[in-house]
Amino acid sequence: MLHAIWKGGSLRSWIAIGMAVAILPLGASAIGGYLVLGRGVVASFQDVAARQRNQLDPTQRLRLLLADATEPLDDFVDEGDPRDPAAYREARGRIESLFADLGPRMQRDSALRSLVARAEDDWTSADRIATRVLAVRRAAGDTANAAQMDEFHGLVNSADDKLGALYEDLAADVHADHDQALRDVERSEWLAVAAAILSALAILVGVIIIGRVISGSVERLVSGAERFAAGDREHRIDVTVPPELHRVAQEFNRMIGRIHESEDALADLARRDSLTRLLNRRAFDEALIEMFARQERFGEPFALVLFDLDHFKRVNDVHGHAAGDEVLRSAAASLLAAIRPFDRLFRTGGEEFAALLSGGDRTTARGAADRLREAVGAASVTIGGSRVVTTVSVGVAMSHSASDGATLVAAADAALYRAKETGRNRVVVSGEEA
């Protein structure tokens, strides 16, 4: 019976036991504990979790959607893909829905509500420009289109800056309230101590009973909050009893997880190509610096392989840009399937890809590049009943022949140019005859 109560008893049941032990003195401490802990600490933590869910998360999602909305419009201006207007309208609908939900959630702070309204005004202005751009298909490079797109991106960036400022203000308020909740925890502990002193032996027994249930859980909450504040985003708080603090710990853990997911999503968005989902040029530049650092420290050579799809413009001209996108996705999938697990693949430009191959010499690098070239040539895409086969020209440069990334890229690019000039669909290694 006592064991079952110990494992699953709620805070109220332990307060009742304490009252039975300590009679009136413990009853007074139970009321104080309920008011300070139940309505103070728990409510404060729940309020922090609710604002994370209702304010911080929607603000972060809105920033991500603003970034997503620019892609189909840019693609439409550059390539005229008929699917882009629908993709933009879908993103616009989600953005407007989030703006409509977010504004009323800022009623307690007029300054934050103003930030949301100003960001929404920027988005509305940007959307009007986007509507004009989508209404008339102009040739790539059109100066009027370029001016409109510059204004569109400026307004979207302005809206994102305001939402970023909103996010910072909200995060600061949440952290401040979180600190206040910790102070409430400290006050509740002082209340328990004062009650123990005033209630003599009987109340001391009640405090011991309640303390054994609560103190460990509160300590884990406080410790977990301190570790999170110190930057440990992987830590999770484990509180089993009482159920009230168990729920607080669960909400806090969910809040940490959502923050971590938002940060990961933003970081991944900045390093991934939206069409092929391969790592992008930014990630390639970072990886190249890292590979040179490893070579300098551990003497590990590597090879840079540059790929360029042959006659890709012809695919776009004959079959359309949607077909070109499908060819790019197919080529990326073929390269990704053929590359070694410990090598890395990137999309660095329109029809350009790059790979960093660890270890080996010229012969090994040539063999690996040839295998990747054959993988692309073996794949095909069916478009309108026609089978489209794409080949790729490849340039290879070894890291020991260059002192930095720019020199290595230039060498591989020169080899790629020779591959194009000497017939395409072939591999040329820098320093060798084509």
Side-chain angles (χ1 to χ4, degrees), residues 328-406:
L328 286 171
R329 281 191 287 264
S330 173
S334 298
L335 290 171
L336 195 60
I339 202 167
R340 298 177 300 183
F342 47 85
D343 294 329
R344 284 183 279 184
L345 182 65
F346 310 83
R347 182 189 177 195
T348 56
E351 65 269 30
E352 300 166 0
F353 299 86
L356 292 173
L357 310 181
S358 302
D361 52 18
R362 289 177 184 270
T363 303
T364 303
R366 173 180 281 279
D370 230 5
R371 186 178 66 253
L372 293 168
R373 178 188 62 80
E374 291 171 355
V376 175
S380 64
V381 176
T382 301
I383 301 170
S386 299
R387 181 170 174 266
V388 177
V389 177
T390 305
T391 61
V392 64
S393 298
V394 186
V396 182
M398 304 304 298
S399 62
H400 56 70
S401 65
S403 59
D404 55 36

Side-chain angles (χ1 to χ4, degrees), residues 58 62 65 90-105 120 123:
L62 193 51
L65 281 173
E90 179 185 356
R92 176 179 63 192
R94 295 168 63 190
I95 290 171
E96 291 174 349
S97 176
L98 271 179
F99 268 124
D101 290 341
L102 190 59
R105 295 175 180 176
E120 187 174 10
W123 162 249

